[in-house]
Amino acid sequence: MKKQTLALACLMAGLVAACGGGSSPSTQSPAFAATVTASTSASTSTTTATGTRWMNVKYGGSGYVPGLVFHPTNPNVLYARTDMGGSYRWDAATSAWTPITDGFGIREEFFNGAESIALDANDDKRVYLVTGMYDWAGTNGRLYVSTDRGDNWTHVDLPFRVGSNDPGRAIGERLMVDPNQSAVLYYGSRTAGLWKSADYGQTWAQVSALSSFQYPAEQIPSLPGRTSAGIEAVLFDTSSTGAGTATQGLYAAVGPDYATAAGLAFNLYKSNDGGASWTGVPTPVTGYHIPHMARAKDGMIYVAFTRDMGPGAGGPAKLYKFDGSNWTLLKSYDTQQWVNFGMGGLSVSGSGPATRIALGVTNSWGNWQGQPIVQLSDDAGLTWREIASMTPHTPADVDFSGWVDDVEIDPHNPDRILHVFGGGVWETRNASAASPSWNLAVTGLEETATLALMTPPKGASYTLLRSSGDIGMHVQTELLKTPTRGPRGWFGNGNSADMAWSAPAYIAAIGTPVWNTPNVAGAYSTDSGVTWTAFAANHPDALANQGGESNIAVTMPGNIVWAPANSRPAYTTNNGASWAYTNLPALSAVGINRGYRIVADRKNPLKVYAFNSGGAWWNQWSDTAHFWYSIDGGHTFTESTAFTAAGARVADFSHSSVAVNPNAEGDIWVADGFSLLHSTDSGVSWTRLQATAPDWGNQPAWMYPEVYGATSIALGKATAGATYSSTIYIVGTISNVWGVHRSDDGGATWRRINDDKHQYAGLGNLAADQSVPGRVFASAAGRGVVFSY
């Protein structure tokens, strides 16, 4: 089924969650499906949208999925964990992923990546996630527990650190549930050894019989990669489930760094008494990581060894099988000139001489004859054939090599094999064919880090400009289709984009150059993003200051103001052929990256506004917040002395925002992290609203709040009968409730338009639709872009 057809079918069937988010099925209707489909073209408007339900704008994958876990006994129960963008459950009926962690709140952004996922072999509804983004960050991890396949969660604070977005994040699985006694869980931590719970994860104790060593907290940030591999995996030595007695035989793989620090002589240990005592298992190679271990039905254990930690670990690498006494080499990759293959994913199916083995070969890039990416054996490792490189892939223009750090054979259908890569998941359902066909299995899986959003005026032939980390900048023409327009392949990160309001076919974008376009940091399009031309020259400081604090504004076609991070903004009147500095003060990067937010007035192209949020409260080199205005197209600026007098606070770039009312000249709004400030005279004078207030939690008032008061603001098409010319949307805290709030009366009254099921572990950049009342776009925390409807 074509992707757009599937999306529409999901909407019409009320299965919005399966298509990437949204409310309960009862709130959907065919009428809504028609409304969304029609109104994704900005030339068509509607007044029927209520703007209180949420779903994803389509991109499709793009982020790293370190792990996939099938339930061992229930077909089609499958989960995916991402490193920073939530976790997902497979929906077999729609062949799509359903996000299961969108209810995580703003205080849970650090826990939006899962380092490991585990399922209960005896209860197919019980799911566990071990979360926590960085081992070095000083915050312990959490265990999230669901008894309804991820629809609802409770959590337990763990006594050790977790690193879902650290090196080695595909290693594991680190969390395992005893198949014989479901109350028993083991976790292999990075820096604190092996841990055990005997009460479904509610309490934990270190398995000191293996090792009591824990890295001192102050030492962790100085470790290579600021983390350790630690106890890399746990494997139960059992062939039965549900016996009622805790499994006595289990293996623990120990990373070489932790083994050295803890004084452990082996990289693999076995216990025959449920973890009470451990014996070192001599391995054929030492000092290697063990990214995965797998046990076949006949008890044979398959173990991958690779030199590096990953993602995309390099070699040398070796695959062995182990019968409890003897090791047999099955496959080996040695480092050679031009290639350095490692091993990542490993999965087995069946038993005996007909055991099927799927092996992911990491750090293998491209698509060429003889290249190993996914190696398959149907005779327990005696012979191998390649099933991924040089085979049919749909779509054909998406990479599938490199970070093949997890490979899973469906335990209920061995012809179905999935593997991960840096952009999501690939799947084949005919692995036994001479040339298996693969499909990109990312429908509903949205994992992008969005750095900036911008919407065009009514009448444009596109709906949204989205600038994202790692994948550049894209022009979204339809909300339920993957975007195809943009300076594709030119930018690593897309930092900012804007269009000429009077002629929105003219778009300018800035980003970080990539290897094949090392000097291209900015580009423009005159045909709504179909074709692009690199600026003849960059801002003089752009290549040296490529941070996400960079910003751009377009006043008229060819006329741009560019503010790289930690720099002085400059302007061009000739599509970048030449640049001249404005009179704005240069910003330094001492202690913290800083940047101007530059915004063009949409009614008067000669007016341009510049907002400097000041830095951060904790940075001794920060200053006060500043607001500047220009009446000559952004060439020279005058500072508003009333801005700080109105009570503007200092905040970092990511917790502040500025927006103009496209329907009224000189009507400007600023979210300074704490409050909203409003000017109706082009920034000369200011009024501070009392609507928002930060939640300080347990923090003292001189520190940063636990939840900020107002961090992003956007203005969009007003509803019929509204008393203000635009609807205002903010991300912030009103009446002690954080979320997306909306005002139709110029900020006099507000109502929250997202619910607790759609918090996305935090929401960042906002951009409001100028054609559809009630529609606002928001960047979710690693969960792509969402919109209200």
Side-chain angles (χ1 to χ4, degrees):
M1 181 181 292
K2 291 184 178 180
K3 294 179 181 178
Q4 61 268 31
T5 306
L6 172 61
L8 181 56
C10 290
L11 289 168
M12 297 186 70
L15 298 173
V16 174
C19 298
S23 302
S24 61
S26 61
T27 63
Q28 310 305 321
S29 68
F32 165 71
T35 298
V36 169
T37 304
S39 61
T40 52
S41 171
S43 62
T44 303
S45 66
T46 177
T47 58
T48 61
T50 62
T52 58
R53 296 163 294 183
W54 292 81
M55 66 182 298
N56 270 106
V57 178
K58 172 79 171 181
Y59 183 85
S62 87
Y64 183 41
V65 179
L68 301 167
V69 177
F70 277 99
H71 194 274
T73 61
N74 193 327
N76 291 316
V77 178
L78 167 66
Y79 294 85
R81 59 181 175 92
T82 73
D83 48 11
M84 46 75 75
S87 296
Y88 296 79
R89 180 183 68 234
W90 180 254
D91 186 332
T94 60
S95 295
W97 296 97
T98 299
I100 57 176
T101 51
D102 286 352
F104 285 15
I106 179 65
R107 286 182 171 88
E108 297 172 283
E109 182 175 1
F110 183 76
F111 306 104
N112 204 35
E115 184 176 62
S116 193
I117 188 169
L119 308 181
D120 186 341
N122 303 298
D123 180 356
D124 62 19
K125 293 184 178 180
R126 184 176 285 271
V127 188
Y128 298 94
L129 301 176
V130 173
T131 66
M133 213 81 86
Y134 301 105
D135 201 34
W136 47 266
T139 300
N140 284 346
R142 279 183 178 177
L143 175 73
Y144 281 86
V145 184
S146 174
T147 57
D148 55 12
R149 295 185 180 172
D151 289 341
N152 297 281
W153 298 94
T154 59
H155 76 262
V156 175
D157 291 327
L158 295 171
F160 46 81
R161 309 275 187 91
V162 172
S164 71
N165 204 28
D166 279 334
R169 49 196 180 270
I171 288 173
E173 290 292 318
R174 296 177 179 272
L175 179 65
M176 298 298 291
V177 181
D178 189 333
N180 284 325
Q181 191 174 86
S182 296
V184 175
L185 285 72
Y186 287 90
Y187 193 78
S189 76
R190 290 174 176 268
T191 59
L194 181 64
W195 292 74
K196 179 180 179 179
S197 172
D199 54 7
Y200 295 93
Q202 297 305 297
T203 60
W204 291 83
Q206 188 187 43
V207 183
S208 57
L210 177 60
S211 174
S212 61
F213 176 76
Q214 299 187 40
Y215 280 97
E218 66 276 8
Q219 185 179 344
I220 294 173
S222 63
L223 293 172
R226 296 194 289 186
T227 190
S228 163
I231 307 300
E232 298 182 319
V234 177
L235 182 70
F236 292 101
D237 189 9
T238 179
S239 59
S240 60
T241 60
T245 301
T247 302
Q248 297 301 295
L250 59 152
Y251 291 89
V254 183
D257 45 4
Y258 182 83
T260 298
L264 296 173
F266 298 89
N267 292 124
L268 186 66
Y269 284 81
K270 184 177 183 182
S271 175
N272 292 313
D273 52 15
S277 63
W278 296 81
T279 301
V281 178
T283 52
V285 294
T286 59
Y288 283 44
H289 293 281
I290 299 177
H292 287 92
M293 300 187 292
R295 184 183 185 278
K297 291 180 180 180
D298 59 3
M300 188 69 71
I301 296 173
Y302 296 81
V303 183
F305 297 88
T306 198
R307 174 67 69 179
D308 296 337
M309 190 186 299
K318 299 178 185 298
L319 175 68
Y320 284 86
K321 67 179 179 180
F322 179 56
D323 63 7
S325 300
N326 304 298
W327 294 89
T328 303
L329 179 64
L330 302 179
K331 199 161 190 61
S332 178
Y333 291 109
D334 294 319
T335 301
Q336 305 173 36
Q337 186 178 18
W338 310 119
V339 297
N340 183 23
F341 301 145
M343 293 182 184
L346 174 65
S347 183
V348 301
S349 176
S351 62
T355 299
R356 168 165 281 189
I357 310 169
L359 175 67
V361 181
T362 67
N363 203 37
S364 174
W365 301 93
N367 183 26
W368 38 273
Q369 191 67 44
Q371 177 192 19
I373 295 177
V374 177
Q375 291 275 291
L376 190 70
S377 173
D378 284 319
D379 52 14
L382 290 178
T383 61
W384 296 85
R385 63 188 179 93
E386 172 59 31
I387 63 168
S389 66
M390 304 301 290
T391 60
H393 282 72
T394 304
D397 61 346
V398 177
D399 186 26
F400 50 88
S401 62
W403 289 8
V404 189
D405 298 304
D406 191 27
V407 175
E408 297 296 333
I409 303 173
D410 186 337
H412 310 282
N413 175 12
D415 245 14
R416 182 189 182 196
I417 297 178
L418 294 85
H419 79 79
V420 306
F421 75 117
V425 182
W426 283 96
E427 176 190 53
T428 181
R429 291 182 180 256
N430 62 340
S432 297
S435 181
S437 56
W438 294 83
N439 291 284
L440 187 63
V442 296
T443 300
L445 199 161
E446 297 288 340
E447 188 194 4
T448 59
T450 307
L451 303 181
L453 297 172
M454 186 64 70
T455 52
K458 181 179 178 180
S461 65
Y462 56 93
T463 305
L464 181 69
L465 304 182
R466 52 191 297 175
S467 302
S468 304
D470 296 333
I471 58 173
M473 178 267 179
H474 294 84
V475 180
Q476 196 96 33
T477 57
E478 297 184 60
L479 300 184
L480 304 182
K481 293 183 180 180
T482 299
T484 58
R485 297 185 192 177
R488 301 181 69 184
W490 288 12
F491 300 149
N493 293 344
N495 287 329
S496 178
D498 195 18
M499 75 292 295
W501 207 252
S502 60
Y506 182 92
I507 306 171
I510 56 173
T512 59
V514 293
W515 68 271
N516 58 327
T517 54
N519 296 312
V520 177
Y524 68 95
S525 172
T526 59
D527 54 10
S528 299
V530 177
T531 61
W532 290 81
T533 302
F535 292 151
N538 295 312
H539 181 295
D541 306 315
L543 294 180
N545 296 279
Q546 299 176 21
E549 298 79 15
S550 302
N551 207 237
I552 196 169
V554 176
T555 59
M556 295 179 288
N559 291 257
I560 301 160
V561 184
W562 185 349
N566 310 311
S567 302
R568 172 176 290 163
Y571 65 89
T572 180
T573 59
N574 51 19
N575 287 315
S578 61
W579 296 89
Y581 284 112
T582 70
N583 67 328
L584 290 168
L587 298 180
S588 67
V590 180
I592 183 174
N593 283 334
R594 298 167 61 188
Y596 284 98
R597 291 191 182 273
I598 307 292
V599 181
D601 193 290
R602 300 310 196 184
K603 285 291 187 179
N604 185 344
L606 294 178
K607 292 185 176 181
V608 181
Y609 311 109
F611 170 50
N612 166 18
S613 63
W617 66 271
W618 46 264
N619 183 257
Q620 61 179 310
W621 294 279
S622 294
D623 57 13
T624 59
H626 299 271
F627 193 91
W628 304 71
Y629 54 88
S630 170
I631 58 173
D632 60 2
H635 302 181
T636 60
F637 287 81
T638 301
E639 184 173 6
S640 168
T641 57
F643 186 63
T644 53
R649 300 280 296 271
V650 173
D652 61 280
F653 186 88
S654 65
H655 286 103
S656 56
S657 177
V658 60
V660 297
N661 183 352
N663 301 309
E665 181 179 338
D667 192 351
I668 315 162
W669 294 80
V670 168
D672 69 355
F674 299 85
S675 303
L676 300 175
L677 295 98
H678 185 207
S679 174
T680 58
D681 57 5
S682 303
V684 176
S685 61
W686 291 86
T687 301
R688 182 171 176 265
L689 279 68
Q690 302 299 321
T692 64
D695 181 350
W696 294 96
N698 296 320
Q699 302 275 49
W702 57 269
M703 292 183 68
Y704 61 90
E706 286 190 3
V707 180
Y708 281 84
T711 56
S712 187
I713 187 166
L715 281 72
K717 183 174 178 61
T719 57
T723 59
Y724 183 65
S725 59
S726 289
T727 294
I728 309 169
Y729 304 90
I730 67 163
V731 173
T733 306
I734 295 178
S735 299
N736 297 317
V737 178
W738 175 89
V740 183
H741 301 270
R742 165 181 168 177
S743 176
D744 295 311
D745 53 14
T749 61
W750 298 86
R751 63 186 178 99
R752 186 188 184 202
I753 61 172
N754 71 311
D755 58 25
D756 287 349
K757 287 289 188 181
H758 300 92
Q759 301 185 86
Y760 304 102
L763 292 161
N765 306 286
L766 292 180
D769 201 295
Q770 305 303 320
S771 301
V772 181
R775 178 180 290 170
V776 64
F777 302 93
S779 62
R783 272 276 290 116
V785 179
V786 295
F787 70 98
S788 61
Y789 62 88

